[in-house]
Amino acid sequence: MTKKKILLIDFDQEFIKFLTKTLTDEGYEVITASDGLSGFEKFSEVHPNLVIMEAMLPKFHGFELCSRITSHPTKKSPVIIITGIYKDAVYKTEALRSLGASAYFEKPVNLQELLAKIYELAGKPEVRKSAVAPEEDLDKLLKDALSLNLE
């Protein structure tokens, strides 16, 4: 099974690191870009299941990029805009109604709400990375390790 791909486009490297780790831990494959131009190039190459992007991007504005992605003739991916710049209902309304965005969040983002929207738009990943193995697996690993030492 292939992992669901999420393209993350943002100029804020700390936000990219944070969200990449979160989404990777959830079981998604994350592709990143730090400007609108490279974001559109990666969108064209990768065809992600979902695009998460900042509205204000260098080299190619996020609102224009959102419009291009959502109106692409052959590749369809929902877009979530997460912005720390455009914090007004007018921008949210424009993004959702005119530009084709599927969701609009302001930074700092509520992670649980964002994950719920990601699951809704991209689906839940097939394999979620587990922080701790289930009890039976730990017991089996211990027994296997002990039996190796006894032989």
Side-chain angles (χ1 to χ4, degrees), residues 69-85:
I69 289 171
T70 59
S71 64
H72 196 281
T74 58
K75 298 176 182 177
K76 299 293 180 198
S77 294
V79 174
I80 296 175
I81 293 177
I82 303 176
T83 185
I85 314 270

Side-chain angles (χ1 to χ4, degrees), residues 133-146:
E135 293 283 331
E136 318 78 65
D137 291 346
L138 288 175
D139 288 345
K140 183 180 181 322
L141 287 171
L142 278 171
K143 285 178 187 172
D144 290 347
L146 288 172

Side-chain angles (χ1 to χ4, degrees), residues 99-149:
L99 305 177
S102 298
Y104 193 95
F105 292 90
E106 292 178 2
K107 293 177 184 175
V109 66
N110 178 313
L111 191 56
Q112 293 312 112
E113 288 178 17
L114 177 60
L115 286 173
K117 185 53 81 172
I118 290 169
Y119 296 154
E120 177 188 323
L121 295 172
K124 287 194 177 189
E126 291 86 13
V127 180
R128 183 176 175 175
K129 190 169 135 184
S130 178
V132 178
E135 293 283 331
E136 318 78 65
D137 291 346
L138 288 175
D139 288 345
K140 183 180 181 322
L141 287 171
L142 278 171
K143 285 178 187 172
D144 290 347
L146 288 172
S147 69
L148 288 173
N149 288 336

